[in-house]
Amino acid sequence: MTTADHDLRHHGDAEVRADGLGLVDLAVNVRTGTPPQWLREHLAATLGELAAYPDQTSARAAVAARHGRPVAEVLLTSGAAEAFVLLARVLAPRQVVVVHPQFTEPEAALRDAGHPVERVLLSPADGFRLGDVPADADLVVLGNPTNPTSVLHPAAAVAALARPGRTLVIDEAFMDTVPGETESLAGVRDLPGQVVVLRSLTKTWGLAGLRIGYVLGPAPLIAGLAAAQPLWPVSTPALAAAEACSTPAALAEAEQAARELGDRREHLLKGLAAFPAVRVHGEPAASFLLVELPDAAVVRERLRERGFAVRRGDTFPGLGTDWLRIAVRDEETTDRFLTALGEVLGHDGSPRS
């Protein structure tokens, strides 16, 4: 969906695919080198089962056990994006608030379903910290950690938004990039109102093309969302991925990847600090950074000329043309990117002519 001010359906893959053959991908937040070989082999082994209709029983049980919830509180979906559409179609809110800047698909899905959306815009001057949300809002949507800001909101601050009569939707698609998932509400079941947590296996496990995510929430709402799904909405290979990535061994691997990501993010931050015109607001916690710099749109195009794709920021409500999102990569790739950025920026921080 495109509103008068933002293209809500623009995503990072467009940065790479648009005449982007050979570009180094810093625009999409999927971990490189994925899926790991063991997961590839596991998925390949399901091909012999494709003649049978998918059975979610084992996968739902595995996800439920992973988060310490009853199976009835788990809904498997065709990626987290499907969950936004289901929520928009099933819920009947009176006042919808989406906290921005954040992933734009929730707002797009809500508008497509005919819901007016009120935006609460977080300020870079405050490090994109959570602010006031209208007390009368009965549907509130936010991300944690948030795409594109990379800010991780304290669990207590997010939980404080829950109240009777309100559905609080938390997009935790990037929570597994945080060591220990310290601020997650995925396992919390005693908050007032309806608290819904969305998860994705896309980012850490490299499964964007497989489409697998899930919703955690109160059993009656989960049942309503399931009734709105088409039959057999999640494929057999995707169900196998959900089950396999919920095992203790897989969770340990994800935890190690999150710790390595932290080191790589610090390397990128230190490199960017050498450019006075580049500003990072808040404390990044996920697999990407949001930066502000003058003439970012020009910088983005000149980086493309040097072989690097980064994500434009002006399609996110609350941001403008001076913002870019940069994915965290290995140190060698980051160093090559920083060299290219240095070639693009002049001594005063503006693009070289």
Side-chain angles (χ1 to χ4, degrees):
M1 161 169 281
T2 300
T3 63
D5 53 349
H6 293 88
D7 180 359
L8 301 180
R9 286 272 158 75
H10 179 89
H11 300 298
D13 58 330
E15 309 279 357
V16 181
R17 291 178 177 174
D19 63 22
L21 291 177
L23 291 178
V24 176
D25 179 10
L26 304 183
V28 178
N29 297 321
V30 174
R31 182 164 65 109
T32 56
T34 53
Q37 186 60 34
W38 68 265
L39 184 53
R40 292 172 189 253
E41 293 173 357
H42 186 71
L43 296 177
T46 68
L47 297 181
E49 305 171 30
L50 295 186
Y53 287 96
D55 181 352
Q56 294 196 8
T57 305
S58 295
R60 285 186 75 192
V63 171
R66 182 248 197 274
H67 293 290
R69 305 184 72 125
V71 171
E73 296 181 356
V74 176
L75 179 70
L76 302 176
T77 57
S78 179
E82 185 201 11
F84 294 125
V85 174
L86 293 173
L87 287 164
R89 292 177 178 175
V90 168
L91 296 175
R94 299 181 307 277
Q95 183 179 4
V96 179
V97 166
V98 177
V99 180
H100 285 290
Q102 78 147 319
F103 185 49
T104 53
E105 278 300 318
E107 179 171 328
L110 287 161
R111 290 184 180 275
D112 285 348
H115 302 294
V117 175
E118 179 179 350
R119 295 172 178 172
V120 168
L121 302 180
L122 305 184
S123 170
D126 295 330
F128 294 110
R129 289 188 300 235
L130 278 177
D132 294 333
V133 170
D136 293 339
D138 59 345
L139 175 58
V140 176
V141 184
L142 74 155
N144 197 35
T146 307
N147 173 17
T149 65
S150 197
V151 168
L152 179 66
H153 302 298
V158 177
L161 296 176
R163 61 191 60 192
R166 170 181 288 175
T167 299
L168 174 63
V169 178
I170 309 157
D171 176 7
E172 290 191 0
F174 290 97
M175 188 61 78
D176 61 358
T177 68
V178 178
E181 299 189 1
T182 52
E183 308 304 326
S184 175
L185 294 182
V188 177
R189 305 175 59 231
D190 58 354
L191 294 174
Q194 295 192 121
V195 176
V196 180
V197 174
L198 277 59
R199 286 295 190 102
S200 169
L201 301 184
T202 293
K203 282 60 179 180
T204 290
W205 298 109
L207 298 176
L210 192 61
R211 310 310 306 142
I212 177 63
Y214 53 89
V215 186
L216 307 170
L221 176 59
I222 293 297
L225 297 175
Q229 281 184 306
L231 292 174
W232 309 291
V234 182
S235 70
T236 295
L239 294 173
E243 185 173 357
C245 294
S246 297
T247 64
L251 296 178
E253 181 176 329
E255 176 72 10
Q256 180 60 33
R259 295 188 181 281
E260 293 173 357
L261 171 70
D263 293 337
R264 292 173 174 179
R265 186 175 59 243
E266 287 303 311
H267 183 75
L268 175 57
L269 283 167
K270 288 178 181 178
L272 291 173
F275 302 99
V278 177
R279 298 186 62 191
V280 177
H281 298 273
E283 298 183 10
S287 54
F288 48 88
L289 303 178
L290 180 68
V291 301
E292 183 183 18
L293 71 162
D295 298 316
V298 176
V299 172
R300 172 175 157 271
E301 289 302 322
R302 293 189 178 169
L303 285 170
R304 292 180 69 83
E305 294 170 359
R306 288 163 175 80
F308 292 87
V310 296
R311 171 66 158 87
R312 58 189 286 196
D314 62 319
T315 63
F316 293 100
L319 303 180
T321 56
D322 286 344
W323 296 87
L324 297 173
R325 192 188 70 194
I326 306 168
V328 176
R329 299 294 188 230
D330 62 89
E331 294 185 359
E332 180 183 354
T333 301
T334 292
D335 288 342
R336 289 193 289 118
F337 164 73
L338 292 169
T339 296
L341 183 62
E343 293 171 354
V344 170
L345 296 179
H347 294 298
D348 62 352
S350 58
R352 297 177 188 271
S353 57

Coordinates of all heavy atoms in Angstrom, one line a residue, residues 31 36 38 66 176 178-181 204-205 244-260:
R31 N 20.3 -13.1 7.9 CA 21.7 -13.5 8.2 C 22.3 -14.2 7.0 O 21.7 -15.1 6.4 CB 21.7 -14.4 9.4 CG 23.1 -14.8 9.8 CD 23.1 -15.4 11.2 NE 22.3 -16.7 11.3 CZ 22.9 -17.9 11.5 NH1 24.2 -18.0 11.6 NH2 22.1 -18.9 11.6
P36 N 21.7 -22.9 7.4 CA 22.9 -23.7 7.7 C 22.7 -25.1 7.0 O 21.6 -25.5 6.7 CB 22.9 -23.8 9.2 CG 21.5 -23.5 9.6 CD 21.0 -22.5 8.7
W38 N 22.9 -28.1 8.0 CA 22.0 -29.1 8.7 C 20.6 -28.9 8.4 O 19.8 -29.8 8.2 CB 22.3 -29.2 10.2 CG 21.9 -28.0 10.9 CD1 22.7 -26.9 11.3 CD2 20.6 -27.7 11.5 NE1 21.9 -26.0 12.0 CE2 20.7 -26.5 12.1 CE3 19.4 -28.4 11.5 CZ2 19.6 -25.9 12.8 CZ3 18.3 -27.8 12.1 CH2 18.4 -26.6 12.7
R66 N 8.8 -24.5 23.2 CA 9.9 -23.5 23.1 C 9.6 -22.3 23.9 O 10.5 -21.7 24.5 CB 10.2 -23.2 21.6 CG 11.4 -22.2 21.4 CD 10.9 -20.9 20.9 NE 11.9 -20.1 20.2 CZ 12.7 -19.2 20.9 NH1 12.6 -19.1 22.2 NH2 13.5 -18.5 20.2
D176 N 15.2 -12.9 18.2 CA 16.3 -13.9 18.3 C 17.7 -13.4 17.8 O 18.6 -14.1 17.9 CB 15.9 -15.1 17.5 CG 15.7 -14.9 16.0 OD1 15.8 -13.8 15.5 OD2 15.4 -15.9 15.3
V178 N 18.9 -10.9 19.5 CA 19.3 -10.4 20.8 C 19.7 -11.5 21.8 O 18.9 -12.4 22.0 CB 18.1 -9.6 21.5 CG1 18.6 -9.1 22.9 CG2 17.7 -8.5 20.6
P179 N 21.0 -11.5 22.2 CA 21.4 -12.6 23.1 C 20.5 -12.7 24.3 O 20.2 -11.8 25.0 CB 22.8 -12.2 23.5 CG 23.3 -11.3 22.4 CD 22.1 -10.6 21.9
G180 N 20.0 -14.0 24.6 CA 19.1 -14.2 25.7 C 17.7 -13.8 25.5 O 16.9 -14.0 26.4
E181 N 17.4 -13.1 24.4 CA 16.1 -12.6 24.1 C 15.5 -11.9 25.4 O 14.4 -12.1 25.8 CB 15.1 -13.7 23.7 CG 15.6 -14.4 22.4 CD 14.6 -15.4 21.8 OE1 13.5 -15.5 22.4 OE2 14.9 -16.0 20.7
T204 N 17.2 -15.1 11.3 CA 18.3 -15.8 11.8 C 18.6 -17.0 10.9 O 19.8 -17.4 10.7 CB 18.1 -16.2 13.2 OG1 18.2 -15.0 14.0 CG2 19.1 -17.2 13.7
W205 N 17.6 -17.7 10.4 CA 17.7 -19.0 9.7 C 17.7 -18.8 8.2 O 17.9 -19.9 7.5 CB 16.7 -19.9 10.2 CG 16.7 -20.2 11.7 CD1 15.9 -19.8 12.6 CD2 17.8 -20.9 12.3 NE1 16.3 -20.3 13.9 CE2 17.5 -21.0 13.7 CE3 18.9 -21.6 11.9 CZ2 18.3 -21.6 14.6 CZ3 19.8 -22.2 12.8 CH2 19.4 -22.2 14.2
A244 N 12.3 -27.9 13.7 CA 13.7 -28.1 13.9 C 14.4 -26.9 14.5 O 15.3 -27.0 15.3 CB 14.4 -28.3 12.5
C245 N 13.9 -25.7 14.2 CA 14.5 -24.4 14.8 C 14.0 -24.1 16.2 O 14.5 -23.1 16.8 CB 14.2 -23.3 13.9 SG 15.0 -23.4 12.3
S246 N 13.2 -25.0 16.8 CA 12.7 -24.9 18.1 C 13.4 -25.8 19.1 O 13.2 -25.8 20.3 CB 11.2 -25.1 18.2 OG 10.5 -24.2 17.5
T247 N 14.3 -26.6 18.6 CA 15.0 -27.6 19.4 C 16.1 -26.9 20.2 O 16.6 -25.8 19.9 CB 15.7 -28.7 18.6 OG1 16.7 -28.1 17.7 CG2 14.7 -29.4 17.7
P248 N 16.5 -27.5 21.4 CA 17.6 -26.9 22.2 C 18.9 -26.7 21.4 O 19.5 -25.6 21.6 CB 17.8 -27.9 23.3 CG 16.5 -28.6 23.4 CD 15.9 -28.7 22.0
A249 N 19.2 -27.6 20.5 CA 20.5 -27.4 19.7 C 20.3 -26.2 18.8 O 21.3 -25.4 18.7 CB 20.8 -28.7 18.9
A250 N 19.2 -26.0 18.1 CA 19.0 -24.9 17.3 C 19.0 -23.6 18.0 O 19.5 -22.6 17.6 CB 17.7 -25.1 16.5
L251 N 18.3 -23.6 19.2 CA 18.3 -22.4 20.0 C 19.7 -22.0 20.5 O 20.0 -20.8 20.5 CB 17.4 -22.6 21.2 CG 15.9 -22.8 20.8 CD1 15.1 -23.0 22.1 CD2 15.3 -21.6 20.1
A252 N 20.5 -23.0 20.8 CA 21.9 -22.7 21.2 C 22.7 -22.1 20.0 O 23.5 -21.2 20.2 CB 22.6 -24.0 21.7
E253 N 22.4 -22.6 18.8 CA 23.1 -22.1 17.6 C 22.6 -20.6 17.4 O 23.5 -19.8 17.0 CB 22.8 -22.9 16.4 CG 23.5 -22.4 15.1 CD 23.2 -23.4 14.0 OE1 23.1 -24.6 14.2 OE2 23.2 -22.9 12.8
A254 N 21.3 -20.4 17.5 CA 20.8 -19.0 17.3 C 21.4 -18.0 18.4 O 21.8 -16.9 18.1 CB 19.3 -19.0 17.4
E255 N 21.6 -18.5 19.6 CA 22.2 -17.7 20.6 C 23.6 -17.3 20.3 O 24.0 -16.2 20.5 CB 22.1 -18.4 22.0 CG 22.8 -17.7 23.1 CD 22.0 -16.5 23.6 OE1 20.9 -16.3 23.2 OE2 22.6 -15.8 24.5
Q256 N 24.4 -18.3 19.8 CA 25.8 -18.0 19.4 C 25.8 -17.1 18.3 O 26.7 -16.1 18.2 CB 26.5 -19.3 19.0 CG 27.9 -19.2 18.6 CD 28.8 -18.6 19.7 OE1 28.6 -18.8 20.9 NE2 29.8 -17.8 19.3
A257 N 24.9 -17.2 17.3 CA 24.9 -16.3 16.2 C 24.5 -14.9 16.7 O 25.1 -13.9 16.1 CB 23.8 -16.7 15.2
A258 N 23.7 -14.8 17.7 CA 23.3 -13.4 18.2 C 24.5 -12.8 18.9 O 24.7 -11.6 18.7 CB 22.1 -13.6 19.2
R259 N 25.3 -13.6 19.6 CA 26.5 -13.0 20.2 C 27.5 -12.6 19.2 O 28.2 -11.5 19.3 CB 27.1 -14.0 21.2 CG 26.1 -14.3 22.3 CD 26.8 -15.2 23.4 NE 25.8 -15.5 24.5 CZ 25.4 -14.6 25.4 NH1 26.0 -13.5 25.5 NH2 24.5 -15.0 26.3
E260 N 27.7 -13.4 18.2 CA 28.7 -13.0 17.1 C 28.2 -11.7 16.4 O 28.9 -10.8 16.0 CB 28.8 -14.1 16.1 CG 29.5 -15.3 16.7 CD 29.5 -16.5 15.7 OE1 28.9 -16.4 14.6 OE2 30.1 -17.6 16.1

